[in-house]
Amino acid sequence: MNAGLFDEPRPDLPAPTRRRWQPLRLGLVELYRYDSEEFWFRDGHLLLRGNNGTGKSKVLSLTLPLLFDAQMRSARVEPDGDPGKKMAWNLLQGGAYERRTGYSWIEFGRLDDDGRPLFVTLGVGLHAVAARSAVEAWYFVVDGTHRIGRDFWLMSAQRVVHGRERLREALLGIGQVYETAQTYRGAVDERLFQLGPARYGALMDTLIQLRQPQLSRRPDEAALSAALTEALPPLPQDLLADVAEALTQLEEDRRQLEQTRALLAAVRRFEQRYALYAGIASRRQARALRQAQTEFDQASRARNEAQAGLALERQAEAEAGVRRQRAELMLAGARARLDALRDDPLNKAANQLEMAQTDARRREEAARLARADALRAAEQAQREAQRLRQQQQDCEERGAGLARVRGQALAAADGAGLTREVGAHRYLADDPAALAAWAQQEGRAFDAAGAELEALPRRRREQLVLLRRRLAAASAADHEAAARRERLAEAQAEAEDAAARRADADAAVEAEAARHLDAWGRHLAQLRELRLDGAAVHAALADWLAQAQGEHPALAALHAAQTAAALRLAEARHALAAQVDALDIEARDLATERRGLERGEDRSPQAPAWRGADTRPGRAGAPLWQLVDFEPALAPSERAGVEAALAAAGLLDAWVSPRGELLRGADGGPWTD
């Protein structure tokens, strides 16, 4: 925005909206190619647009961070730090000016606690002379409610830039002028930052470091880290102690966290195993519950059947009671008739006969039983006699066998030379009493063998009990195996169901992938503005759908194409905006030219570039285009062609002397070409 507004008060200046300082305006006066230019911020942001060479970078290098840093060295002012770019060049423009005075300034604003606006204006004045390489600089700070362009100006009403003393008079009572950069930096720090000299210097170094062009391409991490570290305030010792203690506690917490994580992992492993165990136990308990439910249902059915049977039995009992009553009545009648018949004298002989028959039958039954007992006793006697004969026969056979064995033993003893040791037993073969004693001893051995035989069934029973226990354990194991087979069957059924569901899900995924691929194919075929290879994207999407891992290729390609299209659109918009600006300038020039032509003004044709400086205006004569006119018969297109040919040849504005000589522009000599 042009600052021709340095001449009159301005009520339309930007106002602050926050309680913290924010930039509102910055301006340049007689610096670079600007005579008096002002730029406004919006919400603390500034956007500069234009082609290369329009001065965007110069605006920033001549304002920020120069107005904070107050150092004129090229390494601090220029973004690229080129030492060949001196501050004097920004004033003198490489010899275009002999001497020049300029200003760079920036305005900050904020709201106080009562909502009133406060302002701080920072500025630097510069003066350069062609004969001197150094630039003279002075600085000023204006705070409170005074604003540049409303309460004070950097130029006079005749647009003459104020010098140092004239600026001091203009800021009398509202601001202060500083002669040195150090005092100025202290004033800026006091009003805006309050960091102190060391931290303020570190902040300036950081800003210079971050302002480097293309910082992201060649970053210096060490220098940037050092600059950021120096910009931080020193930490107090108690805070460092707290941080050290916190770090120690953090290490302890880390160890506890690792232990807790290990415990959590162990608990989760236990939970997995216990979940399996709990599932098995639950199924077992559920099996017992189902069995109990089945037994309960069976007991309920049996109870219902028993109740039904009880009802039938009670009904039958009632019917039997009725029949019994009838029978008792009939029995009572029969007994009465029987008693009457017994009391009859004619019936006594019959009674005696009946009693005799009954006694005879009783005697016959007793005789039959006695005969049966006698028969059983005879059979038992025969069996005992036979057993006795068998025992005698066994004894004789055993005695004969013993005699044979004894003889063989004696013969073996004689052959072995043990006749004396076994001589005491020789008499057993001949002495019946000794043989009987020996037989008695052998009988005791036989009794011991019998006892052993009697103990054998007990051991067999014990083994049988153990076998039954093992059979019970085997039966329990069979039941457990059956239960496991049942669970295995259930698990296999669940696995088959899961496999079926997996197959259905795979089929659904394949169908959905096919639909997804077709939808993307249709979408890619319908694209008009975005430029991408639809076939390649379609093939990549088909490969991606097989695994469905990683970034979606179609979305990535679409986003890349969208980014490229947005970039092309931005470039096209930028080119169109530049073209519109050029056309607007051309339109304004043409409109100005038209208005001049309508008012009857004659516009001088543009001199050719090869002519050089024009020294003709102080000489007698006039240019050719003012002395001649077109023939009335020439058409407008023919007139334009003639004029263009004269302009290209340099004859259109050639100077004609009073004597009619056609002169060239720079040296004034005659036209001889």
Side-chain angles (χ1 to χ4, degrees):
M1 174 178 302
N2 288 332
L5 307 177
F6 280 93
D7 302 330
E8 299 178 358
R10 301 164 57 190
D12 59 339
L13 297 178
T17 58
R18 301 178 182 175
R19 296 188 180 276
R20 58 179 298 180
W21 293 109
Q22 61 182 127
L24 300 178
R25 297 180 295 162
L26 60 82
L28 298 174
V29 178
E30 292 295 330
L31 281 177
Y32 190 54
R33 298 175 183 173
Y34 301 104
D35 53 357
S36 179
E37 196 74 21
E38 184 176 323
F39 304 90
W40 287 15
F41 290 82
R42 180 178 180 85
D43 294 332
H45 301 280
L46 177 64
L47 175 62
L48 299 176
R49 294 194 306 175
N51 296 330
N52 293 334
T54 56
K56 301 186 298 298
S57 300
K58 278 297 179 183
V59 171
L60 296 179
S61 64
L62 294 176
T63 53
L64 292 175
L66 172 62
L67 294 172
F68 288 153
D69 192 29
Q71 297 189 32
M72 303 302 159
R73 291 184 290 108
S74 301
R76 308 286 290 188
V77 175
E78 298 297 332
D80 55 0
D82 187 0
K85 298 179 180 179
K86 304 295 184 180
M87 179 60 72
W89 185 89
N90 296 312
L91 290 166
L92 303 179
Q93 290 290 292
Y97 298 92
E98 290 295 329
R99 62 177 62 240
R100 196 181 184 191
T101 301
Y103 283 92
S104 173
W105 60 273
I106 186 170
E107 181 185 64
F108 295 89
R110 72 177 183 89
L111 298 176
D112 63 0
D113 296 337
D114 298 332
R116 295 179 302 176
L118 298 176
F119 305 94
V120 170
T121 304
L122 310 179
V124 57
L126 303 171
H127 179 72
V129 180
R132 295 196 301 266
S133 60
V135 176
E136 183 181 358
W138 61 92
Y139 313 92
F140 68 90
V141 176
V142 178
D143 53 3
T145 59
H146 304 284
R147 309 186 68 180
I148 193 169
R150 187 187 69 183
D151 303 307
F152 68 97
W153 292 263
L154 300 177
M155 302 174 68
S156 64
Q158 293 77 24
R159 304 188 64 81
V160 177
V161 181
H162 294 331
R164 182 185 318 197
E165 298 303 327
R166 183 65 185 89
L167 177 65
R168 196 186 306 274
E169 294 175 0
L171 299 183
L172 187 61
I174 63 174
Q176 187 174 358
V177 178
Y178 299 91
E179 299 294 337
T180 64
Q182 183 176 1
T183 56
Y184 168 75
R185 286 160 58 100
V188 174
D189 181 26
E190 180 182 357
R191 284 170 174 79
L192 295 180
F193 303 104
Q194 299 179 358
L195 296 175
R199 293 178 59 197
Y200 186 81
L203 175 61
M204 292 301 103
D205 294 339
T206 303
L207 291 178
I208 297 298
Q209 180 77 13
L210 295 177
R211 192 194 54 173
Q212 292 180 1
Q214 299 181 350
L215 178 63
S216 60
R217 294 188 179 181
R218 292 178 299 173
D220 189 352
E221 296 85 353
L224 181 59
S225 177
L228 293 176
T229 303
E230 292 179 0
L232 296 175
L235 295 176
Q237 293 297 326
D238 53 351
L239 180 59
L240 291 176
D242 294 340
V243 171
E245 183 178 358
L247 290 176
T248 304
Q249 184 63 35
L250 183 62
E251 182 66 21
E252 182 65 25
D253 294 341
R254 185 185 63 80
R255 289 195 297 269
Q256 293 182 359
L257 179 60
E258 291 178 354
Q259 294 177 359
T260 305
R261 287 177 178 173
L263 179 60
L264 178 60
V267 170
R268 286 178 177 174
R269 291 194 298 270
F270 172 76
E271 181 183 4
Q272 293 176 355
R273 297 181 180 178
Y274 190 78
L276 179 61
Y277 168 75
I280 296 174
S282 299
R283 286 193 292 270
R284 289 179 179 176
Q285 294 180 1
R287 184 173 64 252
L289 180 61
R290 291 195 301 269
Q291 184 177 0
Q293 182 67 32
T294 303
E295 294 176 355
F296 175 76
D297 295 338
Q298 294 175 356
S300 298
R301 288 195 296 269
R303 177 176 175 274
N304 295 331
E305 293 175 358
Q307 287 180 349
L310 178 61
L312 295 176
E313 292 296 332
R314 286 179 178 176
Q315 183 179 0
E317 182 182 5
E319 294 176 355
V322 173
R323 290 195 300 271
R324 178 181 177 184
Q325 291 177 359
R326 293 177 182 176
E328 286 179 352
L329 292 175
M330 293 175 64
L331 179 60
R335 284 180 178 177
R337 290 193 300 271
L338 180 59
D339 292 339
L341 290 175
R342 286 179 177 177
D343 292 340
D344 189 356
L346 297 177
N347 196 28
K348 292 183 179 180
N351 292 334
Q352 292 177 358
L353 179 59
E354 183 178 359
M355 292 175 60
Q357 290 177 350
T358 302
D359 186 31
R361 286 195 296 271
R362 195 165 46 247
R363 290 179 179 274
E364 289 178 358
E365 181 67 21
R368 186 181 63 79
L369 293 175
R371 285 194 298 271
D373 292 339
L375 183 59
R376 286 195 297 274
E379 292 177 356
Q380 182 67 25
Q382 290 178 359
R383 286 194 297 273
E384 291 293 334
Q386 185 177 359
R387 187 168 57 253
L388 180 60
R389 287 194 298 271
Q390 184 68 31
Q391 290 179 354
Q392 290 177 354
Q393 185 178 358
D394 292 340
C395 289
E396 291 176 356
E397 291 177 357
R398 290 183 179 180
L402 181 61
R404 286 195 302 272
V405 170
R406 176 122 352 231
Q408 294 174 358
L410 292 175
D414 293 338
L418 298 176
T419 305
R420 185 188 309 173
E421 284 77 4
V422 300
H425 301 283
R426 290 180 178 273
Y427 66 91
L428 291 177
D430 301 328
D431 189 356
L435 183 60
W438 177 84
Q440 185 177 2
Q441 183 178 358
E442 292 295 330
R444 286 195 297 272
F446 183 76
D447 293 338
E452 181 68 20
L453 290 176
E454 290 178 356
L456 182 61
R458 184 176 66 254
R459 290 195 300 272
R460 292 294 185 183
R461 283 192 296 272
E462 292 176 355
Q463 294 176 357
L464 182 60
V465 170
L466 180 60
L467 181 61
R468 287 176 178 175
R469 290 178 182 175
R470 293 183 178 178
L471 287 175
S475 177
D478 291 338
H479 288 298
E480 179 66 21
R484 291 186 178 180
R485 286 192 295 272
E486 181 180 357
R487 291 195 299 273
L488 178 60
E490 294 176 356
Q492 290 177 349
E494 293 178 357
E496 292 175 357
D497 295 339
R501 292 194 300 271
R502 173 64 181 274
D504 296 339
D506 292 339
V509 168
E510 292 178 358
E512 187 63 28
R515 289 194 296 271
H516 186 74
L517 187 61
D518 294 339
W520 268 103
R522 293 192 299 271
H523 181 69
L524 294 175
Q526 295 173 358
L527 295 178
R528 295 295 179 267
E529 298 297 333
L530 300 182
R531 302 175 184 174
L532 49 82
D533 189 356
V537 173
H538 193 272
L541 180 60
D543 295 337
W544 181 82
L545 288 174
Q547 299 294 332
Q549 294 181 357
E551 187 179 6
H552 196 285
L555 287 177
L558 195 62
H559 291 165
Q562 181 182 5
T563 303
L567 181 59
R568 292 195 304 272
L569 180 59
E571 293 176 352
R573 286 180 176 175
H574 181 72
L576 290 176
Q579 186 177 0
V580 168
D581 294 340
L583 292 176
D584 289 340
I585 295 173
E586 184 178 358
R588 287 196 298 270
D589 294 340
L590 292 175
T592 302
E593 182 179 358
R594 180 179 180 180
R595 288 192 296 270
L597 293 175
E598 290 176 351
R599 290 194 299 267
E601 297 177 356
D602 290 333
R603 185 180 179 187
S604 301
Q606 186 176 2
W610 47 265
R611 174 170 293 169
D614 193 359
T615 60
R616 300 172 300 174
R619 306 168 69 183
L624 178 64
W625 64 272
Q626 291 182 351
L627 302 176
V628 297
D629 199 357
F630 295 103
E631 289 289 338
L634 290 177
S637 59
E638 294 175 341
R639 294 184 178 187
V642 172
E643 185 176 356
L646 292 175
L651 295 174
L652 185 61
D653 64 339
W655 197 260
V656 180
S657 67
R659 292 182 297 177
E661 295 178 349
L662 191 62
L663 304 178
R664 289 186 296 188
D667 54 0
W671 192 280
T672 59
D673 297 338

